[in-house]
Amino acid sequence: VKLYRGTFTGVRKFWSQCNKAINMMLDGAYDVALPFDGVGLVRTGRDPLFNDSGILLPSGFYIKYPDLQKDAEGEITYRDGNTRAKLFGGKVCENIVQAVAAGIMRTQRTELHKRYPVALCTHDELGSMVPEGEEEQYIAYAKEVMTRPLDYLPGLPMGVETHTAIRYGDAK
């Protein structure tokens, strides 16, 4: 853990920014950017439909933390269904990363599906049905779609690995 945190110091810095965001939301400060290395892609916000505290993502979607509270011991929680869940910077960071990645995959899946039906989708993989003889065209198109910059995330480096096979397991 110490090696990872010492090597990737930006992760800890962003956790700190996420902790600040949690406290801003508790204090009622909304529409505040979480700047990181001069870039503020996410902001504190309130979901306009339910008025829940949350993080506004670059896609326009929210990560919601309903009924955000700090107890007498300083533990921060939010309502998660019928229970309360702890909230801290590392969790908010993970929520942001996963939500942004999911949004990217949705955009890419929708575009890829226009030419090659997407038959499989995991958190970081898409599998399409490709007619025999079109493997090279598919690979070129998939690479173009999967590395195309997104309007709401300019400058984000995108990479992809592509494989073709008759069976999913053989493409790995």
Side-chain angles (χ1 to χ4, degrees):
V1 170
K2 286 181 183 178
L3 177 63
Y4 175 83
R5 290 179 179 176
T7 303
F8 301 103
T9 57
V11 174
R12 291 184 66 196
K13 289 178 187 174
F14 192 62
W15 290 346
S16 176
Q17 288 298 99
C18 292
N19 275 322
K20 288 178 187 175
I22 294 168
N23 285 302
M24 285 180 208
M25 289 185 288
L26 283 165
D27 291 340
Y30 295 101
D31 199 31
V32 178
L34 278 71
F36 185 72
D37 286 347
V39 178
L41 291 176
V42 296
R43 309 179 77 73
T44 60
R46 280 203 175 274
D47 167 43
L49 188 58
F50 297 102
N51 204 31
D52 292 326
S53 297
I55 302 293
L56 175 60
L57 300 168
S59 62
F61 289 103
Y62 283 86
I63 301 171
K64 298 189 295 183
Y65 301 109
D67 193 25
L68 193 61
Q69 298 177 7
K70 184 186 283 190
D71 66 18
E73 289 80 41
E75 184 173 271
I76 300 169
T77 61
Y78 66 98
R79 187 176 33 79
D80 185 11
N82 292 328
T83 62
R84 300 222 42 98
K86 287 176 64 172
L87 191 62
F88 50 94
K91 185 172 184 176
V92 170
C93 174
E94 179 186 9
N95 292 163
I96 291 169
V97 169
Q98 294 296 328
V100 169
I104 291 168
M105 287 294 289
R106 273 192 303 276
T107 300
Q108 293 169 332
R109 180 182 64 223
T110 300
E111 191 62 30
L112 189 62
H113 189 77
K114 291 177 182 177
R115 281 187 49 189
Y116 295 98
V118 174
L120 171 99
C121 180
T122 66
H123 68 282
D124 65 352
E125 295 179 324
L126 297 175
S128 292
M129 303 294 289
V130 179
E132 281 189 54
E134 289 189 34
E135 293 88 357
E136 287 184 30
Q137 296 96 314
Y138 168 76
I139 287 173
Y141 183 67
K143 283 183 179 179
E144 190 276 319
V145 166
M146 302 297 281
T147 59
R148 186 183 304 155
L150 299 173
D151 293 342
Y152 61 87
L153 292 170
L156 180 70
M158 306 284 271
V160 66
E161 292 179 16
T162 58
H163 307 280
T164 61
I166 300 294
R167 290 176 199 84
Y168 171 69
D170 295 337
K172 296 203 151 254

